[in-house]
Amino acid sequence: QQYEVTKGVASDVSVSSVIAEESHLFNQVEEFEQRALRAGTLQGVSTGFPVLDTNIDGLQEGLILVSGKWNVGKSAFMQSMALNLMQDPSNFTLYFSIDDSVIGKTIPRFLANMSTLPINTILNPINRIDRDETMSEEQRGEMKVRRELAISELKKYSGRLAIKDSVDGNDVKYVEKIIKTYRAIAGDRKLVVFVDFLNMVSLAK
């Protein structure tokens, strides 16, 4: 009553809401400082690339564009980052491989990255390993083991890494639906979405 007499309040505004608004900025600054002091070394999600993390403070919430000319390694860079994110079990990665098929190109690229074997060796182990007479039995065995370990490791990421291509869909409506689906699947984990590449996402019909 005293507040209403001294300051006056509009008929459709409660006194409590006015008092809350008067201290709103103060509370926001307080919350900011508490979060800043609670945060670790990075404000965002670690990319696994120390120099990049230092300069962008990890992956922050929002849209990050990776641009460049054709065939300069944009996909390889993003796939390496996606694999780096898998080292932290609190991350969930959704990778849209719009212009490349999951089975034919994206999975072999992931496996080549993980095993450090050539992509053609990953794709065709019978010709590139078993029938390669230039290698010793020991070399062939070592390459087989590296390939098998990479496949086994990639399978372990099932449930935390999802890969989609244009066979599943490539319009805005589909992409939005899948992101919402995996947001629910990810739960409390940090969801990081890659769209490779954004130009090929068509407008919803």
Side-chain angles (χ1 to χ4, degrees):
Q1 289 175 337
Q2 185 178 2
Y3 192 97
E4 290 177 344
V5 170
T6 56
K7 296 196 176 182
V9 179
S11 59
D12 58 342
V13 178
S14 68
V15 174
S16 59
S17 64
V18 171
I19 294 173
E21 286 300 322
E22 285 192 334
S23 58
H24 189 60
L25 176 60
F26 178 87
N27 293 331
Q28 286 178 317
V29 175
E30 282 285 293
E31 183 179 350
F32 154 76
E33 182 61 351
Q34 288 173 14
R35 286 188 184 183
L37 294 176
R38 280 201 311 268
T41 55
L42 293 178
Q43 292 292 319
V45 178
S46 174
T47 65
F49 297 115
V51 174
L52 186 60
D53 282 341
T54 298
N55 284 277
I56 68 171
D57 209 7
L59 296 176
Q60 311 271 341
E61 289 186 6
L63 178 66
I64 299 172
L65 293 176
V66 178
S67 60
K69 295 182 178 180
W70 292 94
N71 299 318
V72 296
K74 299 184 298 296
S75 294
F77 166 66
M78 290 194 291
Q79 287 163 11
S80 293
M81 191 187 301
L83 289 173
N84 288 346
L85 292 170
M86 289 296 92
Q87 305 313 304
D88 183 347
S90 68
N91 294 332
F92 192 108
T93 302
L94 172 58
Y95 196 102
F96 287 97
S97 181
I98 303 294
D99 60 334
D100 290 319
S101 71
V102 171
I103 303 298
K105 289 190 176 182
T106 308
I107 285 179
R109 286 173 177 170
F110 274 116
L111 293 172
N113 186 313
M114 297 166 73
S115 65
T116 67
L117 293 172
I119 291 177
N120 287 337
T121 301
I122 296 293
L123 283 165
N124 193 352
I126 293 176
N127 281 335
R128 298 285 178 166
I129 300 177
D130 294 337
R131 295 176 181 168
D132 188 342
E133 296 179 357
T134 65
M135 291 191 293
S136 66
E137 279 298 321
E138 185 180 352
Q139 287 174 315
R140 280 196 284 267
E142 189 262 341
M143 291 182 80
K144 282 183 178 180
V145 168
R146 283 162 58 188
R147 186 177 181 277
E148 288 166 5
L149 285 174
I151 290 173
S152 177
E153 189 68 18
L154 189 58
K155 285 180 178 178
K156 288 179 184 176
Y157 295 152
S158 183
R160 289 202 298 119
L161 171 63
I163 310 172
K164 298 288 182 180
D165 60 21
S166 58
V167 172
D168 301 302
N170 69 338
D171 61 40
V172 172
K173 202 171 189 177
Y174 169 77
V175 170
E176 183 180 17
K177 176 186 173 184
I178 294 299
I179 290 174
K180 286 180 178 178
T181 300
Y182 278 96
R183 174 65 276 169
I185 294 171
D188 294 333
R189 292 171 290 190
K190 297 180 286 288
L191 177 65
V192 181
V193 180
F194 294 85
V195 182
D196 184 14
F197 62 97
L198 196 58
N199 302 42
M200 294 192 73
V201 178
S202 63
L203 296 175
K205 296 177 181 178

